[in-house]
Amino acid sequence: MSITVEDVKAALTLVIDPNTQKDFVSSKSVKNLKVEGGDISLDIELGYPAKSQIEAIRASVQAPLQALAGAGKVSVNVTVKIISHTVQRGLKLMPNVKNIIAVASGKGGVGKSTTAVNLALALAAEGASVGILDADIYGPSQPMMLGINEQPKTTDGKTMEPLENHGLQVSSIGFMIDPGEPMVWRGPMVTQALQQLLEQTNWRDLDYLIVDMPPGTGDIQLTLSQKVPVTGAVIVTTPQDIALLDARKGLKMFEKVGIPILGIVENMSTHICTNCGHAEEIFGAGGGQKMCGEYGVEFLGALPLTMAIRQQTDSGKPTVVAEPDGPVAAIYKEIARKIAVKVAEKAKDLTGKFPSIVIKND
């Protein structure tokens, strides 16, 4: 019996991508499909970084096609192609940055910066090119969290090179000030400094730029949301009612400026005792999931409150690099994959495809 292209596609409609929950045909992931005699070859093109998933995905596609081909040869190649997606209306994408993801919280002290850096590291671990912008001018924490004690260099006196550690490109006001000195700046100065950090850093071909936003929903956050081309936002909260109250404000702010919410992360969900391992919901339970239900957004995952996360981050080696195969790193990686999948499902940015139209009077 000869195999047709339609036979192969029919078999592939039954194979579900574990990350998108869609089959590879309807998600248009099947590329370069060829059927020659009894041999089948194709590429599966993923729109999100998936270094740890590639072999399992390849095997899941290979098995049913091999059953179809019998003694024929089946060649399945899994690749990743991360593209730019749409941002707020009226804003252009930044050069060398495909997607900007804002990590925000309405309230300080909920572990937003810890979550942001671990999500950035998780995306990098999956093979993406990732940068992180520390947008918290008053309390920059990424230099300490990433163990960087240098000052950025400039080659032209106008722009600066991002500093690097653990595979991340990093920019922060913290690299340029004394850690003990307070930033006594008014809002307009802070906003200007942030735009300079963002636009005058020579980011190098980033798939994702994670912006660790300052807490709150004031003038600085609003200006950033209106002037920075953001692909989507992630809200970090704790289950506590007072944190959820402020998280709702953050969510509504992004909605007002046309930035889609990629999902909500519940941090400090349960406290794990270092002595006995007992788990206790000291900040309450289910608050993040309830908020997702209220606003129709995705619950990305819950992270425990453990001493190890704090110790690792304070030492400059966040959990994803300190214990890459540990259970908490696995949660960060799963959340990061969900975020990348949500970004990949967004409309493709086509602004670079259209030529500029110039009208001349001859």
Side-chain angles (χ1 to χ4, degrees):
M1 185 186 82
S2 61
I3 305 166
T4 67
V5 168
E6 294 308 314
D7 293 333
V8 175
K9 285 185 176 178
L12 289 173
T13 57
L14 303 176
V15 185
I16 305 298
D17 182 335
N19 299 300
T20 65
Q21 303 304 316
K22 296 177 181 176
D23 71 83
F24 290 111
V25 176
S26 66
S27 64
K28 298 181 181 177
S29 301
V30 179
K31 308 287 182 183
N32 305 319
L33 173 58
K34 292 177 185 174
V35 178
E36 295 175 348
D39 297 341
I40 303 168
S41 66
L42 73 152
D43 295 337
I44 296 292
E45 186 180 274
L46 306 176
Y48 57 91
K51 196 174 177 181
S52 67
Q53 311 279 298
I54 283 176
E55 189 48 44
I57 288 172
R58 195 195 68 76
S60 73
V61 173
Q62 177 98 17
L65 295 187
Q66 196 65 66
L68 184 67
K73 183 182 176 184
V74 175
S75 174
V76 179
N77 182 39
V78 182
T79 62
V80 172
K81 184 181 180 183
I82 300 167
I83 61 171
S84 301
H85 295 273
T86 52
V87 297
Q88 308 96 299
R89 188 174 296 174
L91 293 183
K92 288 184 178 180
L93 294 180
M94 283 180 55
N96 300 322
V97 179
K98 290 177 184 171
N99 300 287
I100 296 179
I101 299 169
V103 178
S105 66
K107 189 173 184 62
V110 299
K112 168 188 52 63
S113 294
T114 301
T115 303
V117 73
N118 275 294
L119 292 178
L121 290 165
L123 288 168
E126 289 288 18
S129 174
V130 186
I132 187 163
L133 172 70
D134 189 349
D136 195 345
I137 298 291
Y138 295 121
S141 51
Q142 294 302 338
M144 181 179 179
M145 289 183 169
L146 286 163
I148 303 174
N149 299 306
E150 306 167 50
Q151 283 197 328
K153 295 179 174 61
T154 179
T155 55
D156 58 7
K158 297 176 183 177
T159 59
M160 59 186 174
E161 302 304 310
L163 293 173
E164 291 190 52
N165 201 16
H166 306 312
L168 294 184
Q169 298 176 37
V170 193
S171 187
S172 171
I173 197 77
F175 296 140
M176 291 165 264
I177 59 169
D178 184 329
E181 286 294 313
M183 295 297 291
V184 190
W185 286 1
R186 293 191 183 276
M189 290 176 67
V190 174
T191 303
Q192 187 179 4
L194 275 179
Q195 283 194 270
Q196 287 178 325
L197 277 177
L198 181 70
E199 296 166 6
Q200 294 176 12
T201 299
N202 292 322
W203 305 108
R204 293 186 297 279
D205 298 321
L206 295 181
D207 295 317
Y208 305 100
L209 175 62
I210 305 297
V211 179
D212 179 12
M213 295 276 285
T217 53
D219 178 61
I220 298 163
Q221 290 80 4
L222 192 58
T223 304
L224 267 174
S225 302
Q226 290 171 329
K227 292 188 176 180
V228 178
V230 179
T231 315
V234 174
I235 306 291
V236 180
T237 186
T238 65
Q240 195 175 6
D241 287 344
I242 195 75
L244 287 161
L245 185 68
D246 288 339
R248 287 183 176 89
K249 294 174 186 174
L251 186 146
K252 286 179 179 177
M253 178 195 74
F254 286 117
E255 284 184 340
K256 281 183 179 178
V257 293
I259 295 174
I261 305 298
L262 300 173
I264 292 173
V265 176
E266 187 177 270
N267 201 27
M268 308 181 197
S269 184
T270 53
H271 172 250
I272 310 295
C273 178
T274 52
N275 291 326
C276 66
H278 173 68
E280 190 172 13
E281 295 164 333
I282 58 175
F283 290 122
Q289 286 175 308
K290 184 183 174 187
M291 183 175 160
C292 287
E294 286 174 21
Y295 293 97
V297 298
E298 185 171 346
F299 183 70
L300 297 169
L303 289 151
L305 174 62
T306 71
M307 191 180 290
I309 295 176
R310 195 269 304 163
Q311 289 173 332
Q312 289 158 350
T313 308
D314 284 355
S315 69
K317 285 188 74 175
T319 307
V320 170
V321 288
E323 288 185 68
D325 300 318
V328 176
I331 298 171
Y332 281 122
K333 288 176 181 177
E334 185 181 355
I335 293 171
R337 270 197 304 275
K338 285 182 181 178
I339 291 168
V341 166
K342 292 286 285 185
V343 169
E345 288 172 348
K346 286 195 66 195
K348 182 179 179 181
D349 177 77
L350 297 171
T351 52
K353 302 288 183 186
F354 297 110
S356 298
I357 298 172
V358 180
I359 300 172
K360 291 182 178 179
N361 294 321
D362 290 329

